[in-house]
Amino acid sequence: MSLVITPWFGKVSIEYYIKAGGYEGAKKALSMKPEEVIEEVKKSNLRGRGGAGFPTGLKWSFVPRESTRPKYLCINADEGEPGTFKDKYIIKEAPHLLIEGAIIASWAVGINTAFVYIRGEYGKFALLLEKAIEEAYEKGFLGKNIFGTDFSLEIFVHRGAGAYVCGEETALIESLEGKRGNPRIRPPFPATMGLYNCPTVVNNVETLANLPAIIREGGEWFASLGVEKSGGTKLFAVSGHVKKPGIYELPMGTSLKTLIYEYAGGIRENRRLKGVIPGGSSSPILKPQEIDIPLDYDSLMKAGSMLGSGAVIVLDETTCMAKVLQVITRFYAHESCGQCTPCRQGTPWMAKIAERIVSGRGRKGDLDLLVDIARSMMGKTICPLADAAAMPVIAICEKYREELEEHIREKRCPVERE
Amino acid sequence: MKEISPQAMEKIEVLVKRYPVKRSALLEVLHIVQEEWGYIDQEGEERVAEILDLEPVQVHEVVSFYTMYERKPVGNHIIRVCRNLTCTLMGADNLINYLKRKLKVKVGGTTSDGRFTLQTVECLGACEIAPVMQIDGEFYGNLTPDKIDSILEEIK
């Protein structure tokens, strides 16, 4: 099995990284025309690894080639989607993979300044990354005249300060400008009006970390690792009730069941599986009979869920679904930025209902009310946070209705009682 | 009046130069000031506004938006316990209750000796070692009450 990212884990210092063939991709990219680099990335079927799955090459091609204003790269290391911890591993285990990817992206789009927006809670990893960036400057891989060309690139690390919504690309840009993380109305899209109203590319850490291999081995090679419209491999962050939680890199299209039972060791204490959240807490939950499904963007969408960030949260039979509902709704209520009424009002309302269900004060009709609120939020806000809050609620209410109704009726948890 | 140390001012000056727009440095400058003062109160907001040529309200709206900025004095160490989904599945509720009893504080409170402030936070991105907490930026995972006892003992 060909892997793209994890074989580089542990090659933290630039010497080790170079010895293993590191920075060859960036060197090769700089010997190609920028348009050729973009073409190669398009051929690779690389799609944004932050969660939205937008084709990376296409995203780049929206940025005007000629621009009188500077262009920027914002590297999204906010990693706030609950269950997600993959970008942290890239930063601490192979920071140069990210730096090399940033060089390739910047060359392709014509960018000379990049900011890594890293979540504030990752402060110690921000320091590691700064150290790696310093090493790259010393080697002449960053700064002026990279690899002896006339291309220059500066990379700065910028810490966030605790706000989930800043993972959304326009909120990230606002935050980087020193403001509250209120998402912007799109269009205009960042590609034409982003940071300081200049053309901007926002790419996730894992997305960029795939680029060196794509340039070295070719876009077609990368595409062939995955399935039709989802090229390459993907980092899956598995957590919850499994025997071996952690990071697993697997080809796109690998079965979710294989990931859980063969790689993550199956369910702890050999209990029965109750459900799997396949792509971070926003993605609709799958029941045990639904998990024999290929892990790629289109297959999960067809099943009514999302590949998202690849954060797989596994729930065993001891899990109280009212509690899951409460934790998820409380989170989105906490993180709503408050700009749009449906989200500002809807998320705390859902949290209030979930809270009363879990504590035995649920009312007949609460589940219908929850679904009704969720449906009235979707598609009616500036950013996708409202949808992210609504989708899991609808799925849980529909798929675990019997248990939740019993919880309301009996005023106690039917799972813990058993 | 509290002062920002010359070392911190030096850091801030270097930082501001990175950005084509001064205001961009705001989140980072607030981190630096908080590292010195422990929290950002109105005086802190005004000082930062002065440094970055902003109106105090522009600083206030940022300080009040992001959860990592403390707006009132806190203990010597902040314990941030994750209460999100994976940690809850792995027993975070019991650990939060254990910490409340052990430290004799509510969530958000500071121990009477001023050593610890207890907070609950959303996902820390360390679900592979859930249940997890962060103290002074360091991650502690696979927590149990016994493990918490020995961690807090060492931090003193």
Side-chain angles (χ1 to χ4, degrees), chain A residues 82 85 88-89 119 121 124 157-162 175-176 178-181 196 239 241 323 330-331, chain B residues 18-20 23-24 26-28 31 61 65-68 83-84 86 89 93 123 125 127-128 134 138:
Chain A
F85 48 88
K88 174 182 78 181
Y89 275 84
R119 60 181 305 191
E121 295 86 345
K124 60 180 282 196
V157 178
H158 181 103
R159 283 176 295 171
S175 181
L176 193 43
K179 301 171 194 164
R180 296 165 67 96
Y196 315 121
S239 70
H241 298 149
K323 183 73 194 168
R330 179 181 67 192
F331 169 68
Chain B
R18 292 173 172 185
Y19 306 96
R23 185 178 182 175
S24 263
L26 180 54
L27 268 65
E28 285 284 8
H31 281 305
E61 63 176 19
F65 185 84
Y66 296 93
T67 55
M68 287 181 73
R83 62 171 189 179
N84 209 294
T86 298
L89 294 174
D93 279 359
C123 188
C127 321
E128 75 278 32
Q134 205 179 28
E138 195 54 58

Side-chain angles (χ1 to χ4, degrees), chain A residues 212-230:
Chain A
I214 291 173
I215 298 305
R216 256 191 347 259
E217 315 287 338
E220 275 163 26
W221 170 82
F222 187 84
S224 76
L225 299 179
V227 289
E228 202 190 347
K229 284 180 186 154
S230 306

Side-chain angles (χ1 to χ4, degrees), chain A residues 3-6 8 17 25 41 44-49 56 60 86-87 90 97-98 100-102 104 204-219 221-222 225 231-235 249-250 252 297:
Chain A
L3 297 178
V4 178
I5 291 175
T6 46
W8 298 90
Y17 184 74
V41 174
S44 76
N45 286 340
L46 172 65
R47 293 169 66 171
R49 300 293 197 243
T56 306
W60 291 355
K86 65 190 178 66
D87 296 336
I90 295 174
L97 209 51
L98 171 60
E100 186 179 357
I104 295 167
N204 168 261
V205 169
E206 185 189 352
T207 308
L208 293 172
N210 279 304
L211 295 173
I214 291 173
I215 298 305
R216 256 191 347 259
E217 315 287 338
W221 170 82
F222 187 84
L225 299 179
T233 59
K234 172 88 189 80
L235 294 184
E249 180 179 6
L250 292 168
M252 284 283 189
Y297 296 102

Side-chain angles (χ1 to χ4, degrees), chain A residues 53-274:
Chain A
F54 195 81
T56 306
L58 189 61
K59 193 175 193 178
W60 291 355
S61 65
F62 295 149
V63 178
R65 192 74 241 153
E66 302 300 327
S67 169
T68 51
R69 321 198 62 192
K71 299 182 234 180
Y72 293 101
L73 172 65
C74 295
I75 299 166
N76 191 342
D78 198 50
E79 190 150 77
E81 181 69 26
T84 315
F85 48 88
K86 65 190 178 66
D87 296 336
K88 174 182 78 181
Y89 275 84
I90 295 174
I91 290 167
K92 72 183 182 116
E93 296 289 336
H96 289 285
L97 209 51
L98 171 60
I99 298 168
E100 186 179 357
I103 296 170
I104 295 167
S106 300
W107 168 251
V109 184
I111 288 167
N112 303 113
T113 310
F115 293 99
V116 184
Y117 186 97
I118 187 166
R119 60 181 305 191
E121 295 86 345
Y122 283 2
K124 60 180 282 196
F125 308 117
L127 294 177
L128 286 177
L129 184 57
E130 274 177 340
K131 199 172 154 242
I133 289 172
E134 218 160 279
E135 287 179 326
Y137 272 105
E138 279 164 17
K139 289 274 176 204
F141 298 169
L142 289 175
K144 287 193 168 52
N145 303 110
I146 297 172
F147 306 129
T149 66
D150 58 5
F151 178 62
S152 33
L153 177 65
E154 305 263 5
I155 301 184
F156 303 108
V157 178
H158 181 103
R159 283 176 295 171
Y164 166 73
V165 73
C166 290
E168 192 278 335
E169 60 179 16
T170 62
L172 183 150
I173 288 169
E174 286 284 305
S175 181
L176 193 43
E177 290 183 359
K179 301 171 194 164
R180 296 165 67 96
N182 288 355
R184 294 177 181 172
I185 293 172
R186 299 176 299 176
F189 288 89
T192 51
M193 276 181 90
L195 187 61
Y196 315 121
N197 287 333
C198 297
T200 301
V201 169
V202 185
N203 279 154
N204 168 261
V205 169
E206 185 189 352
T207 308
L208 293 172
N210 279 304
L211 295 173
I214 291 173
I215 298 305
R216 256 191 347 259
E217 315 287 338
E220 275 163 26
W221 170 82
F222 187 84
S224 76
L225 299 179
V227 289
E228 202 190 347
K229 284 180 186 154
S230 306
T233 59
K234 172 88 189 80
L235 294 184
F236 294 101
V238 186
S239 70
H241 298 149
V242 287
K243 286 183 186 148
K244 293 189 288 176
I247 290 286
Y248 299 95
E249 180 179 6
L250 292 168
M252 284 283 189
T254 303
S255 158
L256 174 57
K257 196 171 181 179
T258 306
L259 170 62
I260 293 171
Y261 284 94
E262 284 176 32
Y263 290 88
I267 314 304
R268 62 165 190 182
E269 291 163 44
N270 295 320
R271 290 193 176 128
R272 277 208 316 261
L273 179 66
K274 184 159 192 172

Side-chain angles (χ1 to χ4, degrees), chain A residues 379-393:
Chain A
K380 296 189 178 64
T381 52
I382 292 172
C383 90
L385 195 144
D387 291 59
M391 288 183 301
V393 169

